[in-house]
């Protein structure tokens, strides 16, 4: 073979091998790039999934963390998987497992739900001052996990108690004059022909009891309206209302032998309903006259500050015991029941005052001393 031809063949083969190697390298590099791009895409997808999961977890934690209800999730081994802040507030601790749940009534409720595979509810009394908690334990899976929700029901229990007391008291207050009216009517029927003097006496009693019954009904209607809504918030001159209500109360004060004084006062434009504010003034004056003995004084005054109109109703009456002061604005609460009924009181006047004050954003305060008298102060914001 020609040496030159051999050399050329070797060169050609070497060139072909080099080209093949280069092509193989380029193909391998392309595959590597594709693999890297695939891995990057997969990593990006994983990162997006992890970010999304973290976001979902943050939202869940935010929602559960801001709930007023305590939430506890126990796994199949009765170990805590999740507990929010409200649970710690209600129970006083953040249990790591079932054995650390207190009070015992709550623990037994959770155990019963897990073992019996059904929702179990209990209401328990805890702490000082007393609070009532409703614990609802619900099976959360076939593995024995349990979801526990703890709610503070103290306020709802208090409202239910107030409602029951109100119904009982209202029934009693309405029954008393109704029974008196019935008795007087029966007496009139039997004595009309034989005892004319008795007719006059019992007719007067019938009128008094009918008026008292009417007052109770009207006060109940006013109180119900005030609790539901107001007559709207316009502007009204509080000084003008005081003048009207003291003039209206003058006959009652004269009959009771009580001096009704009105201090000079400036105009005071406040926000609120004229009807509601008139009710507030009327009840404060009537209450002061009712609990002031003959020869005593009731003084009504009005002053103003930069922000408020300050209404004062001061009497020289019997006063209020310190222990009764926190309760005088409750419906049907009376310091002196016999005197209140004797003077025609319904037991609702100060409750009406309280609701009107709340509706107009006023601050209500009372100062009293037994045997000396009482002063009721109402600070009503001036209209802007």
């Amino acid at each position: 073979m020609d040496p030159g031809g051999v050399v050329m063949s070797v060169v050609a083969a070497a060139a072909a091998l080099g080209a093949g190697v280069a092509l193989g390298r380029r193909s391998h590099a392309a595959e590597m790039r594709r693999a890297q791009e695939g891995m990057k895409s997969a990593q990006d997808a994983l990162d997006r999934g992890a970010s999304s999961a973290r976001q979902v977890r943050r939202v869940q934690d935010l929602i559960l963390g801001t709930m007023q209800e305590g939430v506890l999730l126990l796994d199949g081994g009765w170990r805590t998987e999740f507990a929010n802040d409200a649970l710690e507030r209600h129970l006083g601790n953040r249990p790591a497992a079932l054995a650390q749940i207190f009070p015992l009534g709550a623990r037994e409720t959770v155990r019963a739900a897990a073992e019996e595979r059904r929702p179990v509810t209990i209401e328990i009394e805890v702490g000082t001052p007393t609070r009532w908690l409703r614990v609802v334990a619900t099976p959360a899976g076939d593995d024995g996990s349990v979801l526990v929700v703890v709610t503070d029901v103290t306020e709802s229990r208090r409202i239910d108690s107030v409602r029951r007391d109100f119904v009982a008291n209202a029934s009693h207050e309405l029954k008393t004059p109704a029974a008196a009216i019935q008795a007087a009517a029966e007496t009139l029927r039997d004595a009309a022909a034989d005892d004319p003097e008795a007719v006059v006496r019992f007719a007067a009693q019938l009128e008094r009891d009918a008026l008292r019954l009417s007052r109770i009904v009207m006060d109940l209607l006013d109180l119900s309206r005030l609790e539901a809504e107001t007559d709207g918030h316009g502007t009204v001159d509080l000084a003008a209302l005081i003048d009207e209500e003291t003039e209206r109360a003058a006959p009652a004060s004269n009959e009771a032998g009580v001096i009704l004084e009105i201090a000079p006062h400036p105009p005071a434009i406040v926000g609120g309903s004229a009807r509601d504010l008139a009710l507030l003034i009327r009840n404060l004056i009537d209450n002061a006259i009712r609990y002031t003995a003959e020869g005593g004084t009731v003084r009504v005054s009005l002053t103003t500050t930069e922000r408020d109109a300050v209404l004062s109703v001061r009497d020289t009456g019997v006063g209020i015991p310190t222990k009764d002061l926190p309760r005088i604005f409750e419906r049907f609460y009376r310091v002196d029941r016999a005197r209140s009924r004797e003077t025609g009181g319904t037991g609702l006047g100060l409750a009406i005052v309280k609701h009107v004050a709340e509706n107009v954003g006023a601050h209500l305060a009372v100062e009293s001393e037994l045997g000396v008298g009482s002063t009721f102060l109402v600070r009503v914001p001036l209209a802007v």
Side-chain angles (χ1 to χ4, degrees), residues 46-171:
L46 287 173
D47 290 343
R48 287 194 298 272
S51 176
S52 177
R54 285 194 298 271
Q55 181 65 21
V56 170
R57 184 58 183 265
R58 279 197 296 269
V59 171
Q60 290 175 344
D61 289 346
L62 177 63
I63 293 172
L64 293 172
T66 56
M67 289 175 61
Q68 295 301 311
E69 296 82 4
V71 178
L72 171 68
L73 179 62
L74 299 174
D75 63 18
W78 293 352
R79 292 178 298 273
T80 297
E81 283 194 358
F82 177 84
N84 66 354
D85 293 338
L87 182 85
E88 186 172 0
R89 291 197 302 271
H90 292 327
L91 298 185
N93 71 328
R94 192 183 293 261
L98 178 65
Q100 296 179 10
I101 295 178
F102 294 98
L104 292 178
R107 185 192 306 174
E108 293 308 313
T109 299
V110 177
R111 189 187 301 276
E115 293 176 348
E116 299 174 17
R117 310 307 301 153
R118 64 178 180 84
V120 180
T121 302
I122 189 175
E123 289 191 0
I124 51 179
E125 184 179 0
V126 298
T128 303
T130 298
R131 292 182 303 119
W132 283 91
L133 301 177
R134 178 180 295 128
V135 180
V136 181
T138 306
D142 295 334
D143 61 347
S145 57
V146 180
L147 177 66
V148 184
V149 178
V150 181
T151 309
D152 190 328
V153 294
T154 306
E155 182 63 14
S156 63
R157 274 182 164 252
R158 187 192 68 79
I159 292 172
D160 286 343
S161 177
V162 169
R163 186 182 296 112
R164 287 193 300 270
D165 290 345
F166 175 72
V167 171
N169 289 331
S171 300

Side-chain angles (χ1 to χ4, degrees), residues 19-360:
V21 170
L23 181 61
R25 286 177 177 172
R26 287 196 296 273
S27 176
H28 179 68
E31 289 177 1
M32 289 293 294
R33 283 195 300 273
R34 285 194 295 271
Q36 289 172 352
E37 289 173 357
M39 291 176 63
K40 186 176 184 304
S41 297
Q43 185 62 49
D44 289 344
L46 287 173
D47 290 343
R48 287 194 298 272
S51 176
S52 177
R54 285 194 298 271
Q55 181 65 21
V56 170
R57 184 58 183 265
R58 279 197 296 269
V59 171
Q60 290 175 344
D61 289 346
L62 177 63
I63 293 172
L64 293 172
T66 56
M67 289 175 61
Q68 295 301 311
E69 296 82 4
V71 178
L72 171 68
L73 179 62
L74 299 174
D75 63 18
W78 293 352
R79 292 178 298 273
T80 297
E81 283 194 358
F82 177 84
N84 66 354
D85 293 338
L87 182 85
E88 186 172 0
R89 291 197 302 271
H90 292 327
L91 298 185
N93 71 328
R94 192 183 293 261
L98 178 65
Q100 296 179 10
I101 295 178
F102 294 98
L104 292 178
R107 185 192 306 174
E108 293 308 313
T109 299
V110 177
R111 189 187 301 276
E115 293 176 348
E116 299 174 17
R117 310 307 301 153
R118 64 178 180 84
V120 180
T121 302
I122 189 175
E123 289 191 0
I124 51 179
E125 184 179 0
V126 298
T128 303
T130 298
R131 292 182 303 119
W132 283 91
L133 301 177
R134 178 180 295 128
V135 180
V136 181
T138 306
D142 295 334
D143 61 347
S145 57
V146 180
L147 177 66
V148 184
V149 178
V150 181
T151 309
D152 190 328
V153 294
T154 306
E155 182 63 14
S156 63
R157 274 182 164 252
R158 187 192 68 79
I159 292 172
D160 286 343
S161 177
V162 169
R163 186 182 296 112
R164 287 193 300 270
D165 290 345
F166 175 72
V167 171
N169 289 331
S171 300
H172 177 74
E173 294 293 336
L174 292 169
K175 182 178 70 175
T176 301
I181 290 171
Q182 181 180 356
E186 291 172 353
T187 303
L188 281 173
R189 181 192 62 199
D190 297 336
D194 303 326
D195 192 350
E197 292 183 0
V199 170
V200 175
R201 187 170 66 255
F202 281 101
Q205 180 182 336
L206 194 65
E207 182 180 11
R208 286 195 303 272
D209 288 324
L211 284 173
R212 183 180 169 214
L213 185 61
S214 176
R215 288 192 196 101
I216 293 173
V217 171
M218 291 302 296
D219 281 353
L220 283 171
L221 290 174
D222 281 331
L223 192 57
S224 177
R225 178 181 61 81
L226 289 167
E227 289 179 337
E229 59 184 18
T230 67
D231 282 346
H233 282 273
T235 57
V236 59
D237 185 355
L238 196 60
L241 289 181
I242 290 174
D243 291 338
E244 293 173 8
E245 291 303 321
T246 48
E247 183 178 350
R248 184 204 61 79
S253 67
N254 292 334
E255 183 180 348
V258 174
I259 300 170
L260 181 58
E261 296 181 351
I262 310 169
H265 49 254
I269 307 302
V270 300
S273 158
R275 177 185 178 185
D276 293 350
L277 287 167
L279 270 177
L280 179 147
I281 299 166
R282 183 181 312 162
N283 278 287
L284 285 177
I285 295 174
D286 286 351
N287 195 68
I289 294 172
R290 187 172 294 115
Y291 285 95
T292 299
E294 185 176 358
T297 301
V298 172
R299 180 178 175 82
V300 182
S301 63
L302 177 68
T303 58
T304 58
T305 67
E306 290 185 2
R307 297 182 178 180
D308 301 317
V310 184
L311 167 66
S312 169
V313 179
R314 183 188 303 272
D315 65 62
T316 58
V318 296
I320 304 168
T322 303
K323 67 180 180 63
D324 292 311
L325 282 175
R327 301 192 60 189
I328 60 173
F329 296 104
E330 294 179 12
R331 293 172 290 188
F332 294 116
Y333 187 83
R334 292 182 174 94
V335 175
D336 186 342
R337 291 184 175 273
R339 183 181 182 88
S340 177
R341 291 199 175 101
E342 180 184 338
T343 56
T346 64
L348 294 170
L350 291 182
I352 290 173
V353 168
K354 175 188 173 184
H355 279 284
V356 174
E358 289 176 347
N359 288 348
V360 299

